[in-house]
Amino acid sequence: MDGYVERLLWVDLTERRVWDEPLDEEWARQFVGGSGLAARILYEMVDGDTDPLGPENPLILMTGPLVGTPMPSAGRLSVCALSPLTGIWGESNTGGFVGPELRFAGYDGVVITGRADRPVWLSIVEGRAELHDAADLWGLDSYETQERMRAALNEPKARVLCIGLAGEREVKFAAVMNDHGRAAGRTGMGAVMGAKNLKAVALRGTAKVPVADPDGLKAVVREINANVDEDMAAMALRLAGTAGYVDMALMYGDLPIRYYQQGEWEPASNLSGVLLADQYLTRSTACYRCPIACGRETRAPSYGLEKADGPEYETLGALGSLLMIDDLEAVIYAGHLCNRYGLDTISTGCTIGLAVEMFERGVLTPADTDGLELRYGDAATVHRLIEMIARREGFGDLLAEGSAALADRFGVPDLAVVVNRLEVPMHDPRAFVGMAVTYALSPRGACHMQGDMYGVDTGQGPPVELGVVPGDRFDDSEEKGRIAARQQAWRNLYNAMILCQFQNPGVERVLRALDAVTGWGLEVEDLLRLGKGIVTLKRRLNLRRGLTRANDRLPDLLMRPLAEGGTEGTVPDLDRLLAGAYAEFGWDPQTGTPPD
Ligand code: SF4
């Protein structure tokens, strides 16, 4: 099987046992890799009652066929399990170098089950896996842990996945961290790792990934790399990182302000990527073989911080404009705290945002918040709350359960801006209404990486050959729903191959690269078929976990028009959009279920 190492590592932490299993070729051909293949494996292992924090929930680390090959921007790793935050399918993928390193260490993926009776870490070096005692690592932050792992292995080039304090304390939106400040952030995969008493996975290897047609791959890689210098979106990312989108998002009304309730706020421009680059950027960083290098290394001297990773656009929104904080250094510092403790910046900012909104409305009082006054624009309190969440200290223990649980607890469930209990990222579906479909049908709850319709409608490399045609951002027709469904299928395939979504070399080149690596001889129409199959499998899993058609919805606050700004007066017709999307996926129009 070209494109695969053909080996999975299985780990039973309860029994402290590791062993190899062959990769199932048929599953690989159907679900490709990454979160697609991980979903297929998990589908066999869980049922409607499996506790996401219990030993039966497998934590799956999975690469895809492009990972570790010369294909640019394909250095990613999927981290998947049932989510403790949402109760349904959980996935997150991370950049950096851990994905390729896992393959060089000899494996396509790792399936971790059980629960160790005391903290452990796992090393996978040159095809050999071992469990080690982690008692002296428990309590370390994510940066220290990565350094300690390299020292323990005496491998300065080892790559490390780990949790910080938040994962250890099973904060429901804890992240898995790697390569300094890279994160598999969403859906609480760090809590799953913490519940298993697994502090870290360290990787090192020198094996090669078999490629069917090395010359064919070389040719397409050359074209892609040459194309990057002429691609406006890639150039913007190189210059200003994802933070470069802040100004544009503000203009479109895509950037959430004041917990999604305000359309305009001039100080938000203080969070722009250009300012970040001018004042706080120390260097750009790149993932494995990425010619774009969108990563930011920054500083926040007012906080005595000389080296921080990020912030990304999502962090600037969630810990900035959403909370009415326009102090760039304060946001850098907040993002850094999240990275240290291993917290998803989106869910952290959104949960704090909800708490602030509840406080402003009088739903929460100082009696509930350990005496803290929660107000918009108060960066110092946000920093304090992040610490409290990571430690599950006082009111932080409530916040650590996420927005939906917080709103439920105080009898205001409709106030939480979540879809299927996952906090909505920094793309407002009133600004690009195709995002309404993306969020409502995303297999992991509200997620912008499951169909970036803001990218489609602003012409950032849409796969037009697959019928994903850019159009009016406010068009909420059935056809738009179909387009959003196709984009969701395309991005699910991206998350299976795995390719970074900021690298958009076009359908033809992606197809040539996939074929050169695997030798599968696919046609363009096969790409949509594969992507739809992956989305449908994840949907079946979620239906088994209790979701129904009624869960395909948007939160109330996002269905209210804003009085001003780039989305003034707009609310998408979700039912019409969904009718198109169900038809595109071939699901029942009434129940939203896939055919048997
Ligand atoms: S574009 Fe950014 S996130 Fe994507 S692979 Fe390159 S450096 Fe990593």
Side-chain angles (χ1 to χ4, degrees):
M1 273 180 84
D2 287 311
Y4 295 88
V5 183
E6 295 187 65
R7 237 173 22 144
L8 297 178
L9 176 70
W10 283 66
V11 180
D12 181 339
L13 291 170
T14 308
E15 301 291 331
R16 281 198 170 234
R17 200 161 76 83
V18 296
W19 71 99
D20 291 355
E21 293 276 352
L23 183 71
D24 185 310
E25 180 168 0
E26 199 181 313
W27 285 4
R29 277 184 170 259
Q30 239 184 315
F31 301 101
V32 184
S35 67
L37 190 53
R40 185 64 191 87
I41 293 170
L42 187 127
Y43 193 80
E44 295 297 315
M45 299 178 73
V46 302
D47 58 28
D49 298 325
T50 306
D51 174 4
L53 291 177
E56 308 79 25
N57 185 22
L59 180 71
I60 303 178
L61 315 177
M62 190 60 70
T63 65
L66 298 183
V67 177
T69 72
M71 179 68 173
S73 314
R76 299 191 77 83
L77 178 76
S78 279
V79 184
C80 308
L82 289 178
S83 164
L85 181 64
T86 65
I88 57 170
W89 166 248
E91 68 172 90
S92 198
N93 78 51
T94 182
F97 297 81
V98 283
E101 201 67 39
L102 176 56
R103 300 196 105 194
F104 303 154
Y107 293 95
D108 291 311
V110 186
V111 182
I112 303 165
T113 62
R115 175 189 164 88
D117 57 1
R118 55 187 185 279
V120 294
W121 63 279
L122 172 69
S123 65
I124 309 173
V125 179
E126 302 289 10
R128 188 154 177 272
E130 258 182 284
L131 287 164
H132 312 261
D133 191 78
D136 60 336
L137 301 172
W138 211 244
L140 294 186
D141 75 23
S142 68
Y143 290 98
E144 291 170 296
T145 305
Q146 292 178 51
E147 289 314 317
R148 287 279 286 274
M149 294 288 83
R150 281 188 267 274
L153 285 177
N154 198 19
E155 286 277 5
K157 291 187 173 164
R159 302 291 174 177
V160 179
L161 281 164
C162 68
I163 54 171
L165 201 57
E168 293 177 15
R169 301 277 159 94
E170 299 174 23
V171 173
K172 296 280 174 66
F173 43 91
V176 176
M177 305 299 298
N178 64 283
D179 293 299
H180 304 287
R182 291 270 166 195
R186 305 234 68 197
T187 67
M189 296 297 100
V192 176
M193 201 159 153
K196 294 189 175 307
N197 259 330
L198 178 63
K199 178 69 177 175
V201 180
L203 307 162
R204 181 71 185 128
T206 52
K208 294 257 183 305
V209 179
V211 168
D213 174 9
D215 289 340
L217 183 61
K218 230 182 260 168
V220 73
V221 166
R222 248 196 321 268
E223 277 177 40
I224 291 171
N225 282 337
N227 189 53
V228 162
D229 291 337
E230 286 150 29
D231 179 341
M232 289 290 288
M235 281 298 99
L237 279 168
R238 187 182 282 172
L239 220 72
T242 54
Y245 183 60
V246 167
D247 286 329
M248 218 155 96
L250 199 53
M251 185 183 80
Y252 286 123
D254 201 24
L255 179 73
I257 298 164
R258 199 181 178 98
Y259 201 60
Y260 310 90
Q261 296 168 97
Q262 193 166 311
E264 280 179 347
W265 185 49
E266 217 177 289
S269 58
N270 293 333
L271 301 170
S272 90
V274 176
L275 279 183
L276 184 77
D278 274 357
Q279 296 176 5
Y280 302 110
L281 183 73
T282 48
R283 69 178 186 117
S284 306
T285 61
C287 303
Y288 178 77
R289 281 185 184 259
C290 177
I292 298 173
C294 78
R296 308 284 90 178
E297 205 173 279
T298 53
R299 51 197 284 274
S302 306
Y303 293 89
L305 185 61
E306 281 310 313
K307 183 178 173 305
D309 293 293
E312 303 285 332
Y313 166 77
E314 294 294 327
T315 303
L316 289 163
L319 294 165
S321 61
L322 195 81
L323 307 173
M324 310 287 280
I325 294 170
D326 69 330
D327 176 347
L328 205 38
E329 272 191 86
V331 179
I332 293 172
Y333 185 64
H336 176 71
L337 287 176
C338 289
N339 288 343
R340 275 193 64 197
Y341 293 124
L343 283 166
D344 173 28
T345 58
I346 300 175
S347 287
T348 302
C350 293
T351 305
I352 292 174
L354 172 63
V356 172
E357 183 60 30
M358 286 164 69
F359 195 95
E360 295 267 357
R361 292 181 183 218
V363 178
L364 289 174
T365 70
D368 304 304
T369 62
D370 303 319
L372 290 172
E373 288 275 321
L374 307 188
R375 299 292 177 199
Y376 285 108
D378 181 355
T381 301
V382 169
H383 297 156
R384 174 85 189 99
L385 288 173
I386 292 172
E387 302 263 0
M388 291 167 68
I389 292 169
R391 296 176 194 284
R392 279 190 175 269
E393 179 189 313
F395 180 58
D397 192 35
L398 280 181
L399 297 182
E401 293 295 303
S403 301
L406 178 70
D408 286 348
R409 165 86 179 245
F410 288 89
V412 287
D414 292 343
L415 207 51
V417 179
V418 294
V419 177
N420 291 323
R421 303 183 80 82
L422 186 65
E423 287 79 9
V424 170
M426 300 300 109
H427 296 280
D428 194 316
R430 290 165 292 198
F432 294 92
V433 300
M435 289 305 293
V437 171
T438 302
Y439 288 156
L441 297 187
S442 156
R444 71 170 181 179
C447 169
H448 59 300
M449 305 310 278
Q450 301 275 338
D452 47 334
M453 289 302 290
Y454 49 91
V456 169
D457 284 340
T458 52
Q460 291 171 42
V464 285
E465 298 91 328
L466 305 181
V468 180
V469 186
D472 179 349
R473 67 190 177 109
F474 297 125
D475 170 17
D476 55 5
S477 63
E478 280 196 27
E479 178 53 23
K480 191 67 158 199
R482 277 183 172 273
I483 290 172
R486 287 179 212 132
Q487 182 69 358
Q488 188 156 75
W490 175 236
R491 288 315 194 190
N492 268 266
L493 180 61
Y494 249 63
N495 294 344
M497 293 188 285
I498 311 170
L499 194 52
C500 173
Q501 295 192 15
F502 302 143
Q503 175 68 271
N504 287 294
V507 171
E508 193 262 344
R509 288 190 183 122
V510 170
L511 181 62
R512 272 168 57 207
L514 187 59
D515 268 338
V517 170
T518 61
W520 284 345
L522 297 173
E523 306 287 340
V524 169
E525 51 274 18
D526 292 322
L527 299 177
L528 262 194
R529 176 182 57 76
L530 286 169
K532 285 180 184 176
I534 293 168
V535 174
T536 299
L537 171 71
K538 293 173 184 172
R539 185 161 180 93
R540 285 188 202 284
L541 183 60
N542 286 341
L543 295 174
R544 188 195 278 175
R545 295 290 295 174
L547 294 197
T548 67
R549 161 76 174 82
N551 292 95
D552 300 342
R553 62 182 294 272
L554 288 187
D556 286 9
L557 282 191
L558 296 185
M559 294 303 277
R560 293 185 195 166
L562 296 177
E564 76 289 297
T567 70
E568 187 184 332
T570 307
V571 172
D573 184 333
L574 184 60
D575 284 337
R576 194 164 54 207
L577 286 161
L578 283 179
Y582 293 151
E584 183 65 32
F585 282 126
W587 300 344
D588 186 284
Q590 305 305 322
T591 64
T593 45
D596 290 334

